Structures are given as structure tokens and as C-alpha cells.
Amino acid sequence: MNITLTDDEMGILLTAAVHAPSLHNTQPWRFEVHGPVVDVLLDAERTLPASDPADRAARIGIGAAAFNIRVAAAMLGHESRVTAEPDPGRPEIVARVFLGARSTPVPRLGSLYGDLSRRHTYRGPLLDQPVPPRVQDLLDDAARAEGATLRWLDQGAKTQLSALLRRTDAEELRDEDRLHERLGWIGGDRRSEGVQESALGPMPVKPALVRDLSAGFDSTHRSQAVFERDPSIAVLCTRHEDTKAWIKAGMALQRTLLVATSYDLVASFLNQVLERAEPRTQIRELIGGRSWPQTVIRIGYPAQPSHVTSRRDWRDSYDHWF
Ligand SMILES: Cc1cc2nc3c(=O)[nH]c(=O)nc-3n(C[C@H](O)[C@H](O)[C@H](O)COP(=O)(O)O)c2cc1C
């Protein structure tokens, strides 16, 4: 198809892409654009060998970036589709977004465009107000539309998760490689990448179902807060466990988060239990043992304002010589 993107259109698509979430805000992507094709590549210099040795989280982030490109393309009027790992000769190309001709009316995904810049990871306390069942259904639909499933945890499962989180957090404090890696990305005053201290949110006064990303370094300036007693927690799962499933998980995650944002919900991650084999197996059992847990999400209504992380300019990850 004879489509050539203007510089403005390319800017819109790739700005949308870089708004995607990524573990520790490493932004592990690069982009190439050839006519109507936008390739999202894994940037091997932005991976986390200690926390994410198989690049699972990195691929989830890339799936989310590819989904954002689809949302922006839809806003511009383009239908689109994504192929995972499209070129066996270039395995670094993780996802390929094909743009179709412009159509009227604007494809449905375009309605999520306004939520791209509103979505942020929120690590503060939530209001004691559950996600309404009707909205839970819409989030389920969003994950399903991208080939994944959300499993909402009941009280018993949340109690087990809580114990597992405490054990995993204690183990992390003994893992020098991870702590060292984390120091490179978390805390302090950061511009354009990583998670600066202000975005970590307050420290929980009592143990809470939240991940304190600061674990392992001093953070004397942070405020403290009492967290909600019973947050809504969902595990996003895929039927298979391979590199393509991780990309699918990223697209489903981002669609779910954007729909959540459109209902003024916020989310954070409790993924420390999925970063090690043993607790991940236990989470897998917790959700029935048949599907693969890819992210654990805490969802609700924010009780406080929050600080956002920044991004590199899209041109910094665009390979323009192609
Ligand atoms: C696969 C994946 C795993 C993540 N795991 C965690 C986590 O365990 N704890 C956490 O606080 N944030 C986690 N995050 C959120 C990132 O830290 C966040 O996306 C990044 O800092 C960018 O900020 P933003 O989401 O506010 O745009 C995760 C994100 C992704 C994509």
C-alpha cells in the first residue's frame, strides 16, 4: 500500500509509543519506519539482566508501545494490525505495526487516544472504593480483545498474595545484583528515563499490597501514608508462555490500562512476585494453574495526586537511516 507518513504523523505515532509503561521506565525500544510499516525493536542496551533475564518485561513494554501506535494510528484514521516477531532474519524486531489506508469513520481504538497521556503508574494509596462490576467487565473485555485474560483475586487469594509479596520483598533485599541494577534506574532526581523519587509515592505506614520500588536504598525525603485495606487486584494472564505471548500480554495490558484510565481508575504493579520462578509458580497455582501470569495489577481510584515519570524524545529511539 502506498502510504508515506509525514514527519508530523510519525511524531504523533512515536510520541504515543514512548508513553507506554516499561519496567523501571527503561524504555527498551527503538523504532524503524518503512512506508506503512512501523517496527518496534528491542534495544539490547536498555534491558535489565538481573531483574528481567529473559527480557519478558521488556517485551511486555514493547507490546504496550505497539498498542499505543495502533491507538494513535486510529486517531489519525488508519486501521492497523500487529505481527509479533515478523522477520526471522532480524530477531531484534519484536513487533511490526502495519498501517492500513485511512478510513471513515475513525477506527474505534482512536477513542482511547486522549487517555494515552493521562495514564500513569500510581503508587499511592487508593480510596476504599472497589472497581464497579460493570467497569471490571469492560476491563475484562479489553484484555480479552488482545488475547489475554484478567483474573480478579478474591479475599483468600489476596491474603496468599500478601504473604508472598512479603517473602519476595525480603529476598530482593538480599539480591545484590538486582539492588545494584535498580540503583541505576530508581530514585533521586531523574529526567527522561528511570523512576525519580517523587514518582515512587509515599511509603506505606503498615505492610500494604503495593510495591515499594525504593527497596534497598535510603529515601529519607519520602512522605508516609496509610494505604487502603482491600484493593482490587487482577492478574493478567496468557494461555501460552513464549516470547510472542509476552508481546500479546503487553498489548492487552495497555488496552486494559487505557480503558481503566478512561474511567478515572489508576493502577500500579506488584510484579516482584513474577520476576522469580518460584513465586511465579505459586501465583500461577493461585489463578488455577492453566494460564501464565504476566503482570499483577492493583487497580482503584487515587486518594492523592501523583508525580509522573518522563520520557526520552521519540527521535532518540528512531533509526532514521532506514
Ligand atoms: C512489565 C512491567 C512491569 C512493571 N512492574 C512494576 C512493578 O513491579 N512495580 C512498579 O512500581 N512499577 C512497575 N512497572 C511500572 C513502571 O515502573 C512504569 O511503567 C514506568 O516507570 C513508567 O511510568 P508510567 O507507567 O507512569 O508511565 C512495570 C511496568 C511494566 C511494563
Side-chain angles (χ1 to χ4, degrees):
M1 192 174 309
N2 199 8
I3 297 179
T4 307
L5 297 170
T6 64
D7 283 355
D8 282 351
E9 287 169 332
M10 200 132 70
I12 288 170
L13 296 179
L14 299 186
T15 299
V18 303
H19 269 98
S22 59
L23 182 58
H24 296 359
N25 197 20
T26 57
Q27 306 163 43
W29 41 65
R30 283 182 9 237
F31 306 100
E32 291 175 11
V33 180
H34 317 256
V37 170
V38 184
D39 282 338
V40 191
L41 291 77
L42 178 68
D43 185 339
E45 299 192 351
R46 297 187 155 265
T47 56
L48 297 166
S51 317
D52 184 31
D55 294 335
R56 189 173 67 82
R59 280 166 190 267
I60 292 176
I62 287 181
F67 186 77
N68 279 6
I69 294 173
R70 291 200 64 206
V71 170
M75 183 278 292
L76 293 172
H78 296 280
E79 290 286 0
S80 62
R81 65 188 169 82
V82 175
T83 302
E85 301 172 357
D87 184 347
R90 295 194 61 200
E92 71 276 19
I93 303 178
V94 169
R96 173 165 288 171
V97 188
F98 294 92
L99 304 183
R102 280 208 156 136
S103 66
T104 349
V106 165
R108 263 184 57 205
L109 280 186
S111 65
L112 292 173
Y113 184 75
D115 297 305
L116 289 178
S117 54
R118 289 180 62 225
R119 184 216 58 82
H120 302 292
T121 302
Y122 170 85
R123 300 183 182 83
L126 299 172
L127 298 177
D128 276 318
Q129 193 181 327
V131 179
R134 187 181 65 86
V135 181
Q136 276 195 17
D137 289 347
L138 294 171
L139 301 181
D140 289 342
D141 292 346
R144 211 175 299 120
E146 301 303 322
T149 319
L150 281 187
R151 297 284 162 87
W152 296 87
L153 299 190
D154 61 20
Q155 209 55 58
K158 280 191 262 189
T159 305
Q160 290 185 55
L161 172 68
S162 173
L164 206 49
L165 284 169
R166 274 205 291 279
R167 279 209 300 279
T168 318
D169 285 343
E171 241 170 70
E172 282 221 300
L173 291 177
R174 295 191 286 268
D175 188 329
E176 233 185 295
D177 290 344
R178 279 174 195 240
L179 293 180
H180 185 255
E181 185 174 80
R182 217 189 277 194
L183 278 175
W185 294 99
I186 311 285
D189 183 20
R190 290 172 196 273
R191 312 252 151 89
S192 79
E193 60 189 21
V195 184
Q196 79 280 10
E197 184 167 317
S198 63
L200 296 176
M203 286 200 282
V205 175
K206 289 192 257 172
L209 281 172
V210 67
R211 182 178 196 180
D212 182 7
L213 272 186
S214 78
F217 60 84
D218 201 12
S219 46
T220 42
H221 308 299
R222 278 172 71 195
S223 59
Q224 297 195 330
V226 176
F227 278 60
E228 72 286 350
R229 266 181 308 169
D230 186 22
S232 299
I233 307 264
V235 182
L236 185 132
C237 336
T238 51
R239 189 191 298 218
H240 302 289
E241 171 68 350
D242 54 27
T243 49
K244 286 189 177 168
W246 301 340
I247 301 160
K248 194 178 268 189
M251 295 195 286
L253 170 69
Q254 187 64 0
R255 190 166 186 148
T256 305
L257 294 176
L258 291 177
V259 172
T261 305
S262 72
Y263 285 89
D264 296 327
L265 289 162
V266 290
S268 68
F269 299 79
L270 303 169
N271 267 26
Q272 64 267 52
V273 286
L274 302 182
E275 288 170 9
R276 291 170 187 278
E278 198 197 312
R280 190 165 180 225
T281 305
Q282 292 177 44
I283 295 289
R284 190 165 182 233
E285 281 159 16
L286 207 63
I287 54 169
R290 288 154 68 112
S291 52
W292 291 90
Q294 304 295 355
T295 59
V296 181
I297 321 169
R298 162 182 169 267
I299 308 180
Y301 297 97
Q304 299 185 352
S306 65
H307 291 262
V308 303
T309 55
S310 308
R311 297 293 190 273
R312 292 175 297 150
D313 190 277
W314 64 269
R315 293 174 197 83
D316 295 340
S317 35
Y318 171 53
D319 293 338
H320 49 273
W321 48 85
F322 280 93

